[in-house]
Amino acid sequence: MVDASLKRPLSFDVNGKTVNVDVAPMARLLDVLREDLHLTGAKEGCGEGECGACAVIVDDKLVNSCLIPALQARGASVRTIEGVAKGDVLHDVQKAFLTWGGAQCGICTPGMVLAAVSLLEKNPKPTEQDVRVALAGNLCRCTGYMKIFESVLKACETAMARESASEAAR
Amino acid sequence: MTASSVGKPLDRVDGRLKVTGTATFSAEVAVANVAHAVIVGATISKGKITALDVGEAQRVPGVVAVLTHLNAAKVPGADKPTEMTDKVVQVLQNDAVLYDGQPIALVVADTLEHASHAASLVKATYAAEAAICEMDKEIGAGFAPKAAPGRPPPDSNRGDIDAALATAFARVDATYTTPCENHNPLEMHATIAVFQGEDHLTLYDATQGIFGLRKRISKAFDLKPENVRVISHFVGGGFGSKGSAWSHVFLAAMASRATGRAVKLSITRQQMFAFVGYRPQTIQQVTAAASKDGTLVALRHEVTSATSRFDTFAEPSANVTRMLYACPNVKTSHRLVRLDVATPTFTRAPGEASGSFALESALDELSYSLKMDPLALRLKNYAETDPDEKKPFSSKTLRDCYTQGAAKFGWSKRKPEPRSMRDGNWLVGFGMATATYPSRQSAASALARVKKDGSAQVLAGSQDIGTGTYTIMTQIAADALGMSVERVHFDLGDTTFPETPVSGGSQTASSVGSAVKRAGMAVRTKLIDLAVKGKGGPLNGMSAEQVDAEAGVLVSKQDRTKSDSYEAVLARNGLDQIEEKIDEKEKAERKDHSTHAFGAHFIEVKVDPDFGEVRVSRVVSAFAAGKILNRKTARSQFIGGIVWGLGLALHEHTERDPRTSRVVTKDLADYHVPVHADVPDMDIVMVDEVDPYVNEIGAKGVGEIGIVGVGAAIANAVYHATGKRVRSLPITLDKLL
Ligand code: FES
Ligand code: FES
């Protein structure tokens, strides 16, 4: 049997900072984030890849951190919900969730926001259908979803309005 | 008067914390020297543990303790529920196994990995007995639940139903069933228990009722209530499942006491199906009869629901039938059967959600027998007063819900014949149903305080389970204090704050809101008194009636140039703060009124005629729920409730293996909750309603009514689309083929 107590060193980037931490061989990325790094924004909703509450972005890919052995993130760059706002300035998606009521209890919210951020980085002008597909892996038990895809679409509008304003200024 | 904040769609005051992932949920509170606990669950549903081998588990490095029935401390109160929300819990007191997944051991270790690994090494040997989970096998042993004080009785009978049935023109007799459903809030139940010495306990717990939990735990552990502190600042959804103290909370406390460490216990999604309650399955027999013009002459609603062998929870599905329509002859009953399962509990609109499926389906069936529009049938039997309590309604604006909802939906375009509407290959159906939910109020306390810097702090125990309590209480407090919301800080979720009821039964806005309002007004009155009677100041000598409060400033009504800020009043009178605590009781006028919120759902479905796939394509729902405190959070609550109804109608079903009584749908892959792709466009109409009697703030509660009637509205639409009447939820493909 592997000695589960023998920790292995792990070095990776989290929200732009390099972190070094010793982790158990099969520790989940989710637990290392939450327990060792105190980044509790990633939530556990199922522990088996069904709900998306634990979503983080690893090297530009949206992943469920409950399914990823932490050691697999060695050398990777990980973005969590704590790294989405720039200091005090919220991301468009966060602002929209706040204004349009995309968050109720807030447990699914970090995963939803990251899924939306990840979508908009790849596709800045999604249709409602695109949003629903991109967020399909994220469950919410409170909002009834409508406010969530409304929020994401509003975030796109804000981003596009800003873009055209800055183009007009040029 | 200050521009009112109540009613405005204020953003959630805790929204920023939530969108940045910095709201601290119970399992996330940083507690020093915390150990992690993992529950080992039974793998049989009935029998005895004959051996428990914990040797290997104990040898895992980092393991601090393995608790089993052989070494766990006795918890004398475990099987002594006293309050309505209390449950009999299974906390390692003996070798009996009563249901699948029951806790049989608790492993405590330095890390979650060690605890989980060790838990997987605990080996149990059982003497299993045959376990029964099918209601029909036990239905002969059905019994009536005991009448609970303050709750409606299990049976009711008005008029003479048999005589009425003998002469009725049209009649429907049908049996409807609803399945067992697990709440599955996205946050799993979690607790951190910290014993300080033998007699002080702090619990950080994901709960809907901090005070109920304190009472139950302090009794069970023989602690003084004031020595138990429960803290719950954020709760990731509850829906009823977090309204009771379940086994894991006791286990965490036992482990903390046994190890002398803080113990964190987050249950797994699989365990969410084991010992934290569920909506029980029901079998409901309904007879509905009418005269030729559609006047209801008889309603009979007989409900049987399932409970555990060791505890009693009855799903009160027939209560809605007693009061919803003006029908002179109504007979209802509730019966229970015991199965080898865990104890069920309150689930979003307990009783109304399941019962309205039966009642509102039966009415739909009756409408076809009468060749009458389903909406016209409801209007024909509109109850102007509560026919059960024989009291006037404190307010009822259901008629407007019907007309506004129907107009927005385009109900008049409905062709009466089933299978008569199409969209390409899809069969299209329209269905409607009435929604109602009682508007409750319980005693609650709150404290308001204006500080010398002119800001306010308002405290009430309470909980925010995602509903928006922080936000609406801030709005209510700001208006009562005559201040702007930015200057008011409302805090909750701590038993050191004034006592409040459980966040269940849609009563938080009503109960806590009334207390907050009165506390705020009391402080405002004190400030005004001080300004007119205290030391000096521009308003001195005026009568209190001549003074208004506006954004933290007192102003003379006659001469608006004369004003005095809260800071100035306090400073001049040498005070650091001024505060008032209010213990608010039920509003007296409630006694003379029946208090309910109402609504109506209009739903369009599209059904694939070849595969039986049902898509809900459009929902228009209109609600009259008294004063809407915040249109944004209220709309969210209505939509969330409707989507729960969609789950009830089409997806959710906790399946058990009849051979073993074990749950087979133990995760979110097998237990289907609605997802993004299932959710249609929903149009929510909020009908204005003023209710001077229901409580101090005129709000009726919006958390539960959304789900009520949705099951029937969808089933009725499916019938209209396909001509197939599905009387057993959920409406899965196989039932339409
Ligand atoms: S916790 Fe990872 S997907 Fe649910
Ligand atoms: S807001 Fe509660 S689960 Fe989505």
Side-chain angles (χ1 to χ4, degrees):
Chain A
M1 199 180 79
V2 206
D3 183 352
S5 65
L6 244 193
K7 294 199 170 183
R8 309 289 195 279
L10 165 66
S11 171
F12 63 144
D13 271 18
V14 180
N15 299 328
K17 276 197 210 88
T18 304
V19 297
N20 296 294
V21 46
D22 291 335
V23 306
M26 284 308 287
R28 306 179 302 174
L29 178 57
L30 174 62
D31 297 322
V32 171
L33 292 171
R34 285 175 62 84
E35 298 293 334
D36 297 292
L37 304 177
H38 307 293
L39 295 170
T40 55
K43 311 293 181 190
E44 175 162 354
C46 66
E48 45 182 50
E50 293 142 10
C51 75
C54 63
V56 298
I57 298 174
V58 177
D59 290 339
D60 296 324
K61 262 211 192 80
L62 185 74
V63 300
N64 287 331
S65 65
C66 71
L67 294 180
I68 303 217
L71 288 173
Q72 203 174 306
R74 198 171 259 162
S77 141
V78 175
R79 234 189 323 158
T80 72
I81 188 69
E82 288 88 351
V84 171
K86 296 267 165 296
D88 272 352
V89 183
L90 297 181
H91 189 284
D92 288 337
V93 171
Q94 291 173 309
K95 260 186 244 159
F97 267 67
L98 186 53
T99 318
W100 299 97
Q104 279 201 47
C105 81
I107 273 279
C108 71
T109 313
M112 291 282 179
V113 168
L114 283 164
V117 166
S118 165
L119 165 70
L120 299 193
E121 284 172 1
K122 294 183 185 85
N123 174 8
K125 291 178 192 164
T127 61
E128 185 184 309
Q129 196 51 32
D130 295 336
V131 176
R132 289 192 191 224
V133 170
L135 271 54
N138 294 77
L139 301 182
C140 174
R141 198 61 165 148
C142 303
T143 61
Y145 299 103
M146 201 174 151
K147 299 225 153 193
I148 290 176
F149 52 77
E150 281 176 0
S151 299
V152 179
L153 292 170
K154 293 288 182 189
C156 305
E157 279 174 28
T158 315
M160 282 192 284
R162 192 180 36 238
E163 216 173 89
S164 45
S166 76
E167 250 164 51
R170 246 182 261 144
Chain B
M1 281 298 286
T2 307
S4 163
S5 163
V6 166
K8 299 261 163 59
L10 184 73
D11 289 348
R12 254 165 233 276
V13 296
D14 51 347
R16 194 181 174 94
L17 293 176
K18 287 178 173 171
V19 301
T20 53
T22 48
T24 306
F25 292 84
S26 298
E28 298 164 354
V29 177
V31 172
N33 191 30
V34 73
H36 298 257
V38 171
I39 291 175
V40 180
T43 56
I44 62 165
S45 300
K46 187 180 193 175
K48 287 206 175 338
I49 305 166
T50 52
L52 256 183
D53 179 359
V54 299
E56 224 185 313
Q58 256 157 349
R59 284 192 294 278
V60 171
V63 167
V64 182
V66 181
L67 303 186
T68 70
H69 68 281
L70 299 170
N71 63 359
K74 290 294 160 226
V75 181
D79 53 1
K80 288 188 192 62
T82 52
E83 303 294 313
M84 192 190 59
T85 52
D86 287 356
K87 297 291 190 303
V88 174
V89 290
Q90 290 68 47
V91 291
L92 314 176
Q93 300 296 292
N94 52 49
D95 60 356
V97 175
L98 304 170
Y99 56 89
D100 177 32
Q102 176 197 309
I104 57 162
L106 184 77
V107 179
V108 188
D110 58 346
T111 67
L112 182 61
E113 286 82 18
H114 287 149
S116 311
H117 179 55
S120 73
L121 300 175
V122 172
K123 285 186 202 73
T125 315
Y126 307 97
E129 292 163 38
I132 298 170
C133 65
E134 291 162 298
M135 280 180 78
D136 45 352
K137 293 212 170 122
E138 293 285 295
I139 207 129
F143 64 98
K146 274 200 214 99
R151 312 286 288 176
D155 292 1
S156 77
N157 191 3
R158 74 168 176 261
D160 182 344
I161 186 152
D162 295 320
L165 284 173
T167 58
F169 169 78
R171 163 177 181 164
V172 169
D173 291 281
T175 302
Y176 303 89
T177 66
T178 59
C180 166
E181 287 188 307
N182 279 86
H183 313 75
N184 280 310
L186 210 60
E187 179 203 32
M188 270 91 77
H189 295 229
T191 210
I192 302 177
V194 195
F195 254 106
Q196 295 105 339
E198 268 300 298
D199 56 1
H200 280 74
L201 172 65
T202 302
L203 291 167
Y204 302 90
D205 189 60
T207 177
Q208 291 174 238
I210 53 175
F211 288 96
L213 181 61
R214 180 176 77 166
K215 202 175 211 175
R216 178 85 170 105
I217 292 285
S218 57
K219 260 195 207 157
F221 288 88
D222 197 19
L223 299 167
K224 292 199 186 104
E226 61 272 26
N227 288 356
V228 177
R229 182 175 180 192
V230 182
I231 297 174
S232 191
H233 288 306
F234 291 98
V235 180
F239 313 111
S241 73
K242 291 172 181 162
S244 305
W246 298 104
S247 304
H248 66 281
V249 187
F250 293 73
L251 290 170
M254 289 161 69
S256 176
R257 193 177 237 180
T259 62
R261 290 180 67 164
V263 170
K264 184 193 293 200
L265 173 50
S266 259
I267 73 172
T268 63
R269 179 58 62 186
Q270 284 69 26
Q271 289 168 342
M272 295 289 285
F273 293 82
F275 47 77
V276 292
Y278 55 89
R279 192 196 299 280
Q281 61 202 106
T282 67
I283 301 173
Q284 306 180 47
Q285 262 140 0
V286 179
T287 298
S291 56
K292 195 166 184 183
D293 67 352
T295 305
L296 281 173
V297 295
L299 282 173
R300 183 165 52 208
H301 193 167
E302 295 168 340
V303 181
T304 306
S305 65
T307 189
S308 64
R309 294 271 178 218
F310 51 88
D311 206 349
T312 300
F313 175 86
E315 174 89 358
S317 306
N319 290 358
V320 60
T321 303
R322 298 173 186 170
M323 52 65 65
L324 194 52
Y325 296 108
C327 177
N329 308 295
V330 177
K331 193 170 180 185
T332 68
S333 65
H334 295 91
R335 295 293 175 270
L336 282 169
V337 297
R338 294 202 183 277
L339 301 175
D340 298 302
V341 296
T343 307
T345 193
F346 316 93
T347 307
R348 203 169 199 170
E352 284 77 9
S354 52
S356 67
F357 165 64
L359 173 66
E360 290 293 281
S361 291
L363 248 71
D364 198 65
E365 299 202 39
L366 192 62
S367 77
Y368 285 92
S369 320
L370 290 162
K371 298 204 184 341
M372 190 170 178
D373 181 277
L375 174 56
L377 177 61
R378 269 113 179 145
L379 285 166
K380 178 90 195 162
N381 294 287
Y382 195 86
E384 299 289 354
T385 56
D386 184 331
D388 185 43
E389 291 186 31
K390 312 241 181 315
K391 287 177 188 170
F393 289 109
S394 60
S395 62
K396 178 175 179 179
T397 320
L398 175 58
R399 211 182 290 278
D400 293 11
C401 296
Y402 285 139
T403 49
Q404 292 183 31
K408 264 213 151 162
F409 181 83
W411 182 257
S412 58
K413 294 195 191 78
R414 173 181 178 272
K415 296 190 191 142
E417 275 303 295
R419 272 187 108 86
S420 61
M421 294 169 70
R422 285 206 178 235
D423 174 11
N425 190 41
W426 293 87
L427 298 165
V428 175
F430 285 5
M432 61 86 52
T434 311
T436 186
Y437 196 75
S439 307
R440 302 195 166 93
Q441 184 182 15
S442 299
S445 303
L447 179 142
R449 173 185 291 152
V450 169
K451 298 192 279 193
K452 66 177 173 193
D453 65 355
S455 71
Q457 188 184 28
V458 181
L459 303 175
S462 205
Q463 305 72 216
D464 191 330
I465 56 176
T467 51
T469 311
Y470 279 110
T471 310
I472 58 168
M473 294 307 157
T474 305
Q475 292 175 279
I476 293 168
D479 284 4
L481 286 160
M483 294 176 64
S484 63
V485 285
E486 293 76 27
R487 300 288 281 154
V488 175
H489 182 78
F490 173 78
D491 210 357
L492 55 69
D494 191 328
T495 48
T496 61
F497 299 166
E499 186 157 347
T500 51
V502 64
S503 286
S506 295
Q507 66 171 353
T508 297
S510 153
S511 312
V512 183
S514 296
V516 163
K517 178 174 179 179
R518 291 272 294 254
M521 292 195 341
V523 168
R524 181 215 294 239
T525 304
K526 265 195 173 174
L527 277 162
I528 293 178
D529 262 13
L530 216 50
V532 297
K533 292 194 206 124
K535 292 195 188 127
L539 305 176
N540 209 274
M542 292 182 183
S543 79
E545 292 74 53
Q546 290 172 299
V547 177
D548 239 356
E550 248 172 43
V553 179
L554 299 175
V555 194
S556 154
K557 288 181 190 168
Q558 274 87 17
D559 176 359
R560 305 199 68 87
T561 61
K562 284 195 182 148
S563 68
D564 202 0
S565 72
Y566 290 1
E567 294 100 302
V569 175
L570 288 174
R572 209 172 37 248
N573 289 280
L575 294 171
D576 278 345
Q577 61 182 40
I578 209 163
E579 71 174 40
E580 276 288 322
K581 179 172 172 267
I582 293 286
D583 301 316
E584 179 77 352
K585 298 266 171 320
E586 261 198 74
K587 194 171 169 75
E589 290 93 323
R590 288 174 57 85
K591 281 201 187 59
D592 308 321
H593 295 90
S594 165
T595 56
H596 292 261
F598 291 93
H601 303 285
F602 297 88
I603 295 184
E604 178 192 87
V605 301
K606 294 187 176 165
V607 184
D608 185 313
D610 304 315
F611 299 108
E613 182 190 357
V614 179
R615 308 286 311 170
V616 174
S617 43
R618 241 162 19 96
V619 176
V620 177
S621 299
F623 300 100
K627 173 110 193 142
I628 297 299
L629 301 169
N630 180 319
R631 298 188 83 78
K632 195 179 298 188
T633 54
R635 180 166 173 258
S636 278
Q637 284 288 78
F638 290 133
I639 292 176
I642 292 166
V643 171
W644 266 65
L646 208 137
L648 174 75
L650 300 177
H651 308 294
E652 297 184 39
H653 185 185
T654 305
E655 294 262 21
R656 287 174 188 274
D657 182 338
R659 294 163 307 175
T660 62
S661 194
R662 299 194 65 194
V663 178
V664 291
T665 50
K666 253 180 217 172
D667 57 26
L668 298 172
D670 291 321
Y671 183 91
H672 295 166
V673 300
V675 301
H676 269 101
D678 298 314
V679 171
D681 220 33
M682 284 167 277
D683 199 340
I684 305 300
V685 182
M686 294 183 232
V687 174
D688 290 330
E689 188 176 65
V690 175
D691 192 325
Y693 308 119
V694 66
N695 53 50
E696 206 49 42
I697 54 173
K700 289 181 169 178
V702 296
E704 287 167 272
I705 189 170
I707 184 177
V708 182
V710 176
I714 292 177
N716 297 344
V718 166
Y719 176 75
H720 184 233
T722 64
K724 281 211 174 91
R725 179 63 64 178
V726 181
R727 300 190 183 91
S728 161
L729 295 183
I731 306 170
T732 42
L733 313 185
D734 51 306
K735 294 176 186 166
L736 291 173
L737 293 177

